[in-house]
Amino acid sequence: MTTLLTGARPYTLNAAGIPLSAILALPEGGAPPRSTILAIHGRGMRAAYWNSFIPLATSLGHAVLAVDRPGYGDSANLLPEGQRLAEQAETLHAALKEHAAGYDIGAGVFLLGHSDGGKVALHTAAASGGVPLLGLDASGVGYRYNPEALHFPSTLGGGATKLNWGPLPLYPRGTFQASRALLSPTPPRESAETLRWPGQYEDLADRVRIPVRLTFAEHEAWWDLAPATLTAMTARLTASPRVTLEHLPAAGHNISLGHAAPAYHLRVLTFLEDCLAAGA
């Protein structure tokens, strides 16, 4: 794992016997958290993908629990094949229940997911669990794939460079060298599910009962961004009390590593404020 930020520490969750490595960051000054944000990384990465998000969230009174998904980090040896996305959601629910037994989670848990982590966040929102969920914010996860992306490389290198990054000037100097520390092999069971996602989404969408915000980067290349496709995606979230779809200018797929990260993170936390107000 990369060097941790001030105020963040390594943390291990016991998810029904599965150890999940994570980063835990609590609000500044020891104040009780207003909420807990479960930050879920994408394919082939680690929890530190969220390093640039953590200081802003904690400064506004939220705890952040950035987790290495099942099959990554400390659970990789126990789960060498990884878990299916729905299984990962069950594991995360168990982890949240364990975390809530020892820590104040505030008003509840807000799900934040990127790419395949956004898929897991949607599965988590659709499944039942013992911890209250406030809302879900996902970036880089759509409904139907861009036909040009159908070769599906499993890593952030090789032929996936354009898909994962977009134009290189969208990122600060040194990003690509620094991001090597975030990389991790993608578990086989996760890779095997890629082509199944459109059908999975159709099955789970009407079981998501919390507010949802979906963000697509201007230079998002993985997904079909045709208005009709995105309208079909949001229309399936029939049980969600609020669905918002946004496009972020001057950003590539890995939004939280680029120059647009601060703008995106502020919008995430604004949406969380809306969810807290609605809950209150």
Side-chain angles (χ1 to χ4, degrees), residues 242-261:
R242 176 185 176 191
V243 180
T244 304
L245 190 149
E246 295 189 12
H247 296 271
L248 187 67
H253 178 73
N254 285 307
I255 292 175
S256 290
L257 301 180
H259 290 299

Side-chain angles (χ1 to χ4, degrees), residues 70 83-94 120 123-125 127:
Q83 289 184 331
R84 294 183 294 107
L85 300 180
E87 292 172 335
Q88 291 184 42
E90 294 176 3
T91 300
L92 290 181
H93 269 300
V120 175
H123 274 284
T124 303

Side-chain angles (χ1 to χ4, degrees), residues 149-217:
L150 288 177
H151 58 287
F152 297 122
S154 295
T155 70
L156 298 183
T161 299
K162 181 179 178 181
L163 296 172
N164 286 302
W165 300 103
L168 301 189
L170 297 176
Y171 301 88
R173 180 176 295 181
T175 295
F176 305 103
Q177 182 176 358
S179 67
R180 293 175 185 170
L182 305 178
L183 303 183
S184 181
T186 303
R189 286 182 182 169
E190 182 175 321
S191 292
E193 285 203 303
T194 301
L195 285 172
R196 303 173 194 158
W197 170 247
Q200 290 178 343
Y201 179 75
E202 292 169 2
D203 289 340
L204 68 83
D206 64 357
R207 291 183 279 119
V208 175
R209 295 179 172 83
I210 55 177
V212 175
R213 192 177 83 102
L214 303 169
T215 298
F216 294 96

Side-chain angles (χ1 to χ4, degrees), residues 24-260:
L24 177 64
L26 300 176
E28 295 180 355
R34 300 173 59 216
S35 77
T36 295
I37 300 168
L38 179 67
I40 311 171
H41 66 82
R43 172 183 299 204
M45 283 211 165
R46 295 284 300 276
Y49 173 83
W50 299 107
N51 269 358
S52 66
F53 171 77
I54 289 173
L56 180 60
T58 55
S59 73
L60 294 176
H62 306 286
V64 179
L65 183 58
V67 63
D68 286 328
R69 292 194 281 117
Y72 294 83
D74 287 356
S75 66
N77 289 336
L78 184 64
L79 301 169
E81 297 295 309
Q83 289 184 331
R84 294 183 294 107
L85 300 180
E87 292 172 335
Q88 291 184 42
E90 294 176 3
T91 300
L92 290 181
H93 269 300
L96 286 172
K97 194 170 182 180
E98 189 268 347
H99 177 72
Y103 285 85
D104 183 357
I105 62 169
V109 172
F110 181 80
L111 301 173
L112 174 61
H114 170 68
S115 196
D116 273 17
K119 297 177 185 177
V120 175
L122 284 160
H123 274 284
T124 303
S128 60
V131 175
L133 300 179
L134 301 171
L136 185 160
D137 196 296
S139 66
V141 56
Y143 175 23
R144 299 194 181 280
Y145 291 101
N146 176 356
E148 295 180 3
L150 288 177
H151 58 287
F152 297 122
S154 295
T155 70
L156 298 183
T161 299
K162 181 179 178 181
L163 296 172
N164 286 302
W165 300 103
L168 301 189
L170 297 176
Y171 301 88
R173 180 176 295 181
T175 295
F176 305 103
Q177 182 176 358
S179 67
R180 293 175 185 170
L182 305 178
L183 303 183
S184 181
T186 303
R189 286 182 182 169
E190 182 175 321
S191 292
E193 285 203 303
T194 301
L195 285 172
R196 303 173 194 158
W197 170 247
Q200 290 178 343
Y201 179 75
E202 292 169 2
D203 289 340
L204 68 83
D206 64 357
R207 291 183 279 119
V208 175
R209 295 179 172 83
I210 55 177
V212 175
R213 192 177 83 102
L214 303 169
T215 298
F216 294 96
E218 177 184 357
H219 300 280
E220 173 61 64
W222 279 105
W223 299 100
D224 176 0
L225 301 185
T229 303
L230 297 182
T231 297
M233 182 179 188
T234 57
R236 289 187 174 274
L237 294 164
T238 54
S240 172
R242 176 185 176 191
V243 180
T244 304
L245 190 149
E246 295 189 12
H247 296 271
L248 187 67
H253 178 73
N254 285 307
I255 292 175
S256 290
L257 301 180
H259 290 299

